[in-house]
Amino acid sequence: MSAVLIAAGGSRRQAAPTGEPSWQGLAGAQRPRVAVGQRVIVLLKAPALADRVGTAGGLATSEDERRWTETALSAQKLLVARLRVEGVVVQPEFSYTHTINGFSAAFDARGIALLERAPEVAGVYPVRAAYPATTSSQLLSGAQAGERPGIALSDRDGRGVTIALLDTGVDRAQPFLRGRVSPGLDIVGGDPDASAAPQPDAPAELEAHGTELAGLLVGSGGPGALAGVAPGATLLPIRVAGWQRDAFARWAVYGRTDQVLAGIERAVDPNDDGDAHDAARIAVVGVAEPFAAFADGPLARAAAGAMRLDTLVVAPSGNDGPAGPGYGSVSGPGGAPAALTVGALDLRPRYGEARVVLRAGLQVEFDATRPLASAVTPAGPIDAGLGAPRAKTTAPAGHRGAVPLLDFFDERGLSLVAGRAALLRAGPDPNGSLANAARAGAVAVLFYGADLPAGGISLDENGPIPAVSIPEALAERLLAQLRRGVGAALSLGNVRTTPNSGEGKVAQFSSSGLAFDARVKPDVVAPGVALETAEPGTNPDGSARFGTVNGTSVAAALVAGGAALLAQARPYLDAEALKGLLVGSARPLAGDPVASQGAGLIDVGGATATEVTAAPASLAFGRATSGRWHGDQVVALRNVTFRRLILSLQVVVAHEGAGPLQFNVRPVRLSLAAGRTIRVHLRVRVAGKPEGQAPADGYLVVTPVAGHEIHLPWTILFGPRPAPTLAAVHLSAHAFRPSDAAPPLLSFIAGSVPPAAGGPAVLPLSRLDLELWSAKGGRIGLLARLRDVLPGRYSFGVTGRDPTGAVLPGGDYQLRLLAYGTDPGPPTVKSLAFSIK
């Protein structure tokens, strides 16, 4: 029976908001709902170019590589031709031959069923949306208003190194970037040089994210001697995200995972001639697939293939904040073992705060000191009345974004907030809402509904006004007073600076947790709050635009720039060694768990002096399910210098967790000749009865007799394996006639996001199978298979056909759903009986 996938959240004084500030909407692009249609990614078993090069030990001629690339493409053509013979017409949208062997295309249910049974197919994976992992601004003058990268080598600028930037388009006319950006590649729209594209319905609005990261990477000559990390490097922009229609047919900036894969393919072969000898040394991915920390999906496999072709993929961990002690909130491709995954650090030493007094009539409603949520500091005190946008929005149904500009004007076209402080719900896009309020003439903004962090709203020339957060109950009371015609006013005092208690800590928005193979991710952290950089376009006076940005893709760009400096300083290192040195030499941070920071703060200077590298750079022991549990890891240590090294190894436990652990390292001391590699075996076992489920974490420390030590982060979870979640299974009709046009719906919830100490834990499924069985218990065959299933509600249309597409004869049958978790173990099984009339 064919199954069609149909779908896959006195004075009366009010106390100031308490608890952790919310970075929602301030770090990371807004996430429009995206309809990917019936697109899937099909991976073949036939080897890709990277597999052939790996088998050849990395030694291949240009002729060899072109031949192997053509062979991979031929395997795809044979499969497409065979499907056509069976009545399934396939139009591949993207073909992948270098890092993986496969293609993306739209398939109906019958086509997917044929693919799952095809012996040459390794797997069929969903296409999902990926979003830029920063938020932006446009307001810098000669005075420094944000933070500088702080990553540099005194005698290196990245010269001779190519960095591929997989992101939105880049404004090559920006003077800060001029001469450093090569003609790019546009995966999304076919532009000849991957420029920053305008919004089709609003040409003045340019996509900004790619230009911002480009400035962090290779910018030079900015205000106050602002420069990127590697201004001598060559930037290859590859536009994998940009203006595309969302699920409501509106324009939004995003990419898809099949487009990101196509970008990685071009990063390893920019001229697309089948020969990867011209591959970029570093490829930084500026977009993130939320919560998709899969270790064996297409993006993870592509990152591994790129490494075999000597391109290091650098990825953001994501901007979804801290998570529980298990699998957390890391985005794809950050879960890839081969990717260098980067979290964000807050290095701001101080931030601004001001006294806020709110009155309604003669009564003081609020009097407290609040941090400035915007990065704009007012020139002096502000006294203004309060205003608010329309109660009934002009936005279309389903709108998830900034308060529209029209909402700030009444039916006669008069501004409701001109000369006033605007009361606004923070919503999913505080930056955009503030900019629109400023355009309507507001002098300040009072946000409610979220406690926005100090400086979280980026500098924006479209909205150069201050903003603070106030409690929601207070805002509702003030709005009610305004609706009754009672005047209300704001007094905002002079701004003073105060020390940032979060300085030197992982930013609150930075995603943490483990990848779905239990590997520590992120690998490292780097500055990611209020970084100064370029913006696309020009100011009204013709001058270049600059601003500040927040996010883990900001941190990833800085690390990619650092990798370029290291590649220039030590050009003989391959991609695996670059990653190993950058992770191993990072400096652990006191107070942050390993699952949030990985090995710690990147130290490019330390990496240039480090002599030994490890692979893998982060460890994955898994979950201790009982007092008899043990876990094993094998680490390859490589001497990347020209002298013999004497190394000693020890395991450092930073947090003991729920149970005592005993580690065995073999060997614990060794001599390693120049250029040689040795494998080290680690075994850990639980040495006593676990109490609770607190995770343990720490580092494997490798120390030369003379030289820099390296750290390999690890985390071990405690507790029983979580059963794969399969809930609310429902079939809309249990007796029906076969129908392709109006099939009954099988709906269910797959995966879960249970609460845990430290935040929610994302528990996806590695695989979900829908099988057809006879009423007597005989398996007829596989109807559908989903891989890398994120938590959510799904529906299948049950058409009344068998796995071959033939109509089922009348009788009784069973549907069986089998849900496999990411932890090893048996599936959760649910069965439903039905009858064909």
Side-chain angles (χ1 to χ4, degrees):
M1 166 174 39
S2 297
V4 184
L5 179 62
I6 304 297
S11 69
R12 178 172 55 190
R13 301 190 181 185
Q14 175 77 33
T18 59
E20 293 294 334
S22 170
W23 281 86
Q24 182 174 354
L26 302 177
Q30 305 315 307
R31 294 176 181 173
R33 289 182 58 185
V34 175
V36 298
Q38 294 177 298
R39 291 184 181 93
V40 295
I41 297 165
V42 181
L43 296 186
L44 275 62
K45 295 176 182 176
L49 171 62
D51 301 314
R52 301 272 196 177
V53 172
T55 301
L59 302 175
T61 66
S62 295
E63 183 181 348
D64 289 334
E65 295 199 358
R66 292 190 187 99
R67 185 176 67 254
W68 293 337
T69 300
E70 185 59 37
T71 301
L73 183 60
S74 296
Q76 297 175 29
K77 291 179 178 178
L78 284 173
L79 174 61
V80 170
R82 189 167 70 78
L83 290 172
R84 185 176 293 114
V85 170
E86 298 191 43
V88 177
V89 178
V90 182
Q91 297 291 338
E93 188 168 0
F94 296 106
S95 178
Y96 317 115
T97 56
H98 296 70
T99 59
I100 56 175
N101 189 358
F103 58 89
S104 68
F107 283 90
D108 60 14
R110 180 169 176 267
I112 291 177
L114 287 172
L115 288 173
E116 290 292 357
R117 295 195 300 274
E120 59 266 62
V121 173
V124 182
Y125 294 82
V127 168
R128 283 193 279 258
Y131 305 96
T134 66
T135 191
S136 63
S137 66
Q138 300 102 18
L139 180 68
L140 280 182
S141 60
Q144 180 174 336
E147 300 300 314
R148 301 294 170 101
I151 295 174
L153 288 177
S154 59
D155 58 344
R156 297 288 186 267
D157 63 358
R159 193 173 307 275
V161 179
T162 297
I163 305 171
L165 173 60
L166 281 63
D167 208 307
T168 66
V170 173
D171 184 2
R172 297 172 67 238
Q174 229 282 2
F176 191 56
L177 303 175
R178 195 169 293 156
R180 298 169 185 84
V181 182
S182 63
L185 306 163
D186 190 350
I187 303 299
V188 173
D191 186 89
D193 63 357
S195 296
Q199 206 260 60
D201 295 335
E205 185 178 354
L206 297 174
E207 56 193 30
H209 198 257
T211 304
E212 293 161 354
L213 295 200
L216 294 169
L217 287 162
V218 299
S220 182
L226 176 66
V229 175
T234 299
L235 189 76
L236 173 65
I238 302 178
R239 186 170 177 256
V240 299
W243 296 108
Q244 302 182 80
R245 295 284 189 182
D246 64 14
F248 300 99
R250 295 190 295 261
W251 292 108
V253 175
Y254 66 90
R256 301 192 311 263
T257 51
D258 58 334
Q259 294 169 330
V260 177
L261 282 170
I264 295 175
E265 286 279 296
R266 293 305 299 272
V268 301
D269 185 9
N271 64 2
D272 199 26
D273 66 349
D275 174 13
H277 285 93
D278 58 343
R281 289 288 276 129
I282 297 111
V284 57
V285 181
V287 296
E289 181 190 0
F291 303 104
F294 296 101
D296 61 352
L299 284 175
R301 297 186 188 203
M307 179 171 282
R308 286 194 290 273
L309 295 174
D310 208 21
T311 295
L312 174 61
V313 174
V314 183
S317 68
N319 299 320
D320 292 295
Y327 306 127
S329 57
V330 174
S331 296
L340 175 52
T341 306
V342 186
L345 194 67
D346 186 351
L347 288 183
R348 297 172 299 163
R350 306 180 70 82
Y351 63 82
E353 63 180 15
R355 184 181 178 187
V356 178
V357 179
L358 292 166
R359 297 179 177 86
L362 299 177
Q363 183 165 292
V364 175
E365 296 280 348
F366 184 86
D367 185 351
T369 297
R370 297 292 297 139
L372 280 182
S374 66
V376 172
T377 301
I382 293 176
D383 290 289
L386 300 187
R390 299 184 188 190
K392 185 176 181 180
T393 183
T394 60
H399 175 72
R400 292 190 70 257
V403 177
L405 181 60
L406 283 178
D407 283 11
F408 293 97
F409 296 87
D410 63 18
E411 292 80 358
R412 298 170 296 169
L414 300 178
S415 174
L416 300 169
V417 296
R420 299 175 178 271
L423 275 166
L424 301 180
R425 181 172 292 280
D429 186 6
N431 289 276
S433 297
L434 182 138
N436 285 341
R439 292 188 182 103
V443 298
V445 168
L446 301 174
F447 282 112
Y448 63 93
D451 185 11
L452 303 182
I457 296 179
S458 303
L459 294 166
D460 191 333
E461 250 171 28
N462 294 319
I465 58 176
V468 296
S469 294
I470 63 172
E472 183 166 10
L474 168 64
E476 297 289 356
R477 195 161 61 247
L478 291 171
L479 288 169
Q481 297 273 43
L482 291 175
R483 286 192 290 268
R484 290 197 297 268
V486 178
L490 161 73
S491 292
L492 185 69
N494 284 315
V495 176
R496 62 186 183 189
T497 61
T498 189
N500 177 17
S501 61
E503 181 186 7
K505 296 181 180 179
V506 174
Q508 294 168 4
F509 59 78
S510 186
S511 289
S512 67
L514 304 180
F516 296 144
D517 65 345
R519 189 173 309 279
V520 172
K521 290 287 182 173
D523 296 295
V524 295
V525 292
V529 179
L531 271 293
E532 299 176 352
T533 187
E535 294 291 336
T538 58
N539 293 314
D541 63 359
S543 61
R545 288 184 173 184
F546 293 89
T548 62
V549 287
N550 308 310
T552 54
S553 64
V554 171
L558 300 188
V559 170
L565 301 181
L566 181 59
Q568 181 191 10
R570 303 176 72 171
Y572 54 87
L573 295 176
D574 60 17
E576 187 175 61
L578 284 177
K579 178 187 175 182
L581 288 179
L582 289 167
V583 176
S585 63
R587 303 194 304 269
L589 305 171
D592 282 310
V594 170
S596 295
Q597 62 168 305
L601 175 62
I602 184 177
D603 180 2
V604 177
T608 61
T610 300
E611 299 174 299
V612 62
T613 183
S618 302
L619 304 180
F621 281 113
R623 184 186 301 272
T625 55
S626 70
R628 297 184 299 276
W629 173 88
H630 73 270
D632 296 279
Q633 289 277 274
V634 177
V635 176
L637 299 179
R638 181 169 27 143
N639 183 343
V640 291
T641 67
F642 302 99
R643 69 184 185 97
R644 180 176 291 274
L645 298 176
I646 306 298
L647 305 174
S648 60
L649 291 82
Q650 65 170 331
V651 176
V652 174
V653 178
H655 300 95
E656 291 188 356
L661 299 171
Q662 183 177 36
F663 287 88
N664 181 29
V665 182
R666 295 183 293 112
V668 295
R669 187 175 174 86
L670 57 97
S671 174
L672 190 58
R676 302 303 296 270
T677 299
I678 189 171
R679 295 185 181 278
V680 174
H681 296 262
L682 290 84
R683 168 163 287 198
V684 58
R685 68 179 185 87
V686 177
K689 182 179 179 181
E691 297 182 2
Q693 297 188 10
D697 62 30
Y699 304 91
L700 170 65
V701 182
V702 182
T703 308
V705 168
H708 289 253
E709 66 184 24
I710 63 171
H711 305 82
L712 282 69
W714 57 266
T715 294
I716 295 174
L717 308 176
F718 285 88
R721 166 187 174 266
T725 299
L726 198 56
V729 180
H730 175 71
L731 185 61
S732 61
H734 289 269
F736 54 89
R737 298 183 186 280
S739 172
D740 295 331
L745 289 183
L746 172 66
S747 60
F748 53 91
I749 294 174
S752 62
V753 187
V762 179
L763 298 178
L765 303 180
S766 63
R767 196 179 89 205
L768 184 132
D769 290 349
L770 176 60
E771 296 181 346
L772 177 64
W773 289 62
S774 69
K776 296 182 178 180
R779 184 179 183 274
I780 298 173
L782 178 70
L783 294 175
R785 172 171 288 163
L786 302 179
R787 289 181 173 84
D788 292 355
V789 182
L790 288 174
R793 181 178 292 277
Y794 295 82
S795 297
F796 285 101
V798 181
T799 61
R801 296 179 181 272
D802 69 14
T804 69
V807 174
L808 285 172
D812 296 330
Y813 301 90
Q814 283 187 5
L815 289 172
R816 289 195 185 181
L817 282 166
L818 295 88
Y820 296 84
T822 53
D823 282 357
T828 296
V829 181
K830 300 286 186 180
S831 298
L832 287 175
F834 71 97
S835 300
I836 294 293
K837 295 180 179 179

